[in-house]
């Protein structure tokens, strides 16, 4: 496998997924994860990765090349939290394998 994604947006309308995950791992997730809260938490950790931001048509991608992490955030101001994530919420987090030099 060269990568994978955690689709946090699915927790908003499927609380049973979060409950199953919490039961198996002991880690609980809220139905919504605000990117501002994640950035706040990251600011308190040493060596925060540097993100480049790109527009993905209704989403913003925050990509940290050094740590091989990409965070997709909802960037449509009309999107409200309900059975789905809203504006400023994390849609997904992806990890990928670094490209090896030949």
């Amino acid at each position: 496998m060269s990568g994978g994604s955690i689709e946090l947006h699915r927790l908003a309308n499927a609380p049973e997924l979060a409950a199953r995950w919490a039961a198996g791992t002991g880690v609980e997730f809220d139905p919504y994860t605000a990117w501002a809260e994640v950035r706040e938490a990251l600011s308190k950790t040493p060596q925060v990765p540097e993100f480049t931001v790109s527009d993905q048509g209704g989403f913003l991608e925050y990509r940290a090349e050094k740590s091989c992490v990409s965070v997709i955030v909802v960037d449509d101001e009309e999107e409200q939290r309900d059975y789905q994530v809203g504006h400023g919420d994390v849609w997904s987090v992806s990890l990928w394998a670094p490209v090896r030099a030949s």
Side-chain angles (χ1 to χ4, degrees), residues 7-20 29-33 79-86 89-91:
E7 296 182 358
L8 294 175
H9 66 94
R10 296 184 67 199
L11 297 175
N13 66 6
E16 68 280 355
L17 289 175
R20 197 168 54 220
F29 282 99
D30 291 330
Y32 311 101
T33 303
E79 291 296 331
Q80 301 296 316
R81 285 181 172 177
D82 192 9
Y83 293 108
Q84 62 197 25
V85 295
D89 286 331
V90 175
W91 180 265

Side-chain angles (χ1 to χ4, degrees), residues 35-92:
W35 177 237
E37 291 175 11
V38 174
R39 293 295 300 255
E40 168 87 18
L42 284 173
S43 73
K44 297 174 184 176
T45 62
Q47 299 179 337
V48 175
E50 195 172 307
F51 290 99
T52 58
V53 183
S54 62
D55 187 338
Q56 300 292 324
F59 298 92
L60 292 175
E61 178 184 26
Y62 292 84
R63 191 172 179 95
E65 294 292 333
K66 270 187 154 179
S67 59
C68 300
V69 173
S70 175
V71 180
I72 304 294
V73 177
V74 178
D75 189 40
D76 184 341
E77 293 194 25
E78 293 182 17
E79 291 296 331
Q80 301 296 316
R81 285 181 172 177
D82 192 9
Y83 293 108
Q84 62 197 25
V85 295
H87 176 72
D89 286 331
V90 175
W91 180 265
S92 66

